Amino acid sequence: QVQLVESGGGLVQPGGSLRLSCTVSGSISRINDMGWYRQAPGKEFELVAIISRDGETAWPDSLKDRFPISRDNAKNAVYLHLASLTPEDTAVYYCHAVVRRLNREGFFPYWGRGTQVTVSS
């Protein structure tokens, strides 16, 4: 099995910062792309940022460069650096990874359960 566990969410004031972390564990052979998505109340599920195994990053135009993403391949971890947060950033943030399991062929997507980020004064 493969598990993704997020941490670092919470309540923050407008203008504040948080760092989200996600660690992938289990029977892993290799992790390719990793990323973060979010689901805000009443809004569509959306991509926040992705990062390749080699460190190439991408964001949707609506969030261009706003939230840096990084990863540590040795720790099977990905991070999202949230800064200058506004109430519109309130959402559940989900970690995503494309994983090849040990002794298995092919890569498959896996998701964490999400971590709540609430931006409010």
Side-chain angles (χ1 to χ4, degrees):
Q1 282 288 0
V2 174
Q3 297 85 36
L4 279 65
V5 178
E6 303 103 332
S7 62
L11 174 63
V12 62
Q13 293 187 342
S17 302
L18 287 172
R19 188 179 87 149
L20 305 184
S21 300
C22 172
T23 300
V24 186
S25 63
S27 56
I28 302 163
S29 172
R30 182 180 176 92
I31 303 173
N32 278 354
D33 290 352
M34 303 181 82
W36 292 90
Y37 291 73
R38 70 183 182 183
Q39 177 87 65
K43 295 186 178 180
E44 293 186 354
F45 191 70
E46 68 172 342
L47 170 68
V48 178
I50 57 173
I51 183 167
S52 73
R53 183 173 181 83
D54 296 332
E56 294 185 10
T57 54
W59 297 265
D61 288 342
S62 59
L63 293 173
K64 185 64 176 177
D65 293 350
R66 186 158 169 232
F67 299 140
I69 186 172
S70 60
R71 66 188 283 173
D72 185 334
N73 291 333
K75 296 181 179 179
N76 292 335
V78 62
Y79 309 98
L80 187 67
H81 308 265
L82 303 175
S84 301
L85 288 164
T86 74
E88 288 67 40
D89 297 313
T90 294
V92 179
Y93 286 71
Y94 296 91
C95 176
H96 174 261
V98 180
V99 179
R100 184 176 68 200
R101 294 175 59 183
L102 287 171
N103 302 317
R104 299 286 183 95
E105 294 291 330
F107 287 84
F108 296 91
Y110 291 88
W111 294 89
R113 293 188 174 185
T115 184
Q116 176 71 47
V117 172
T118 302
V119 185
S120 175
S121 55

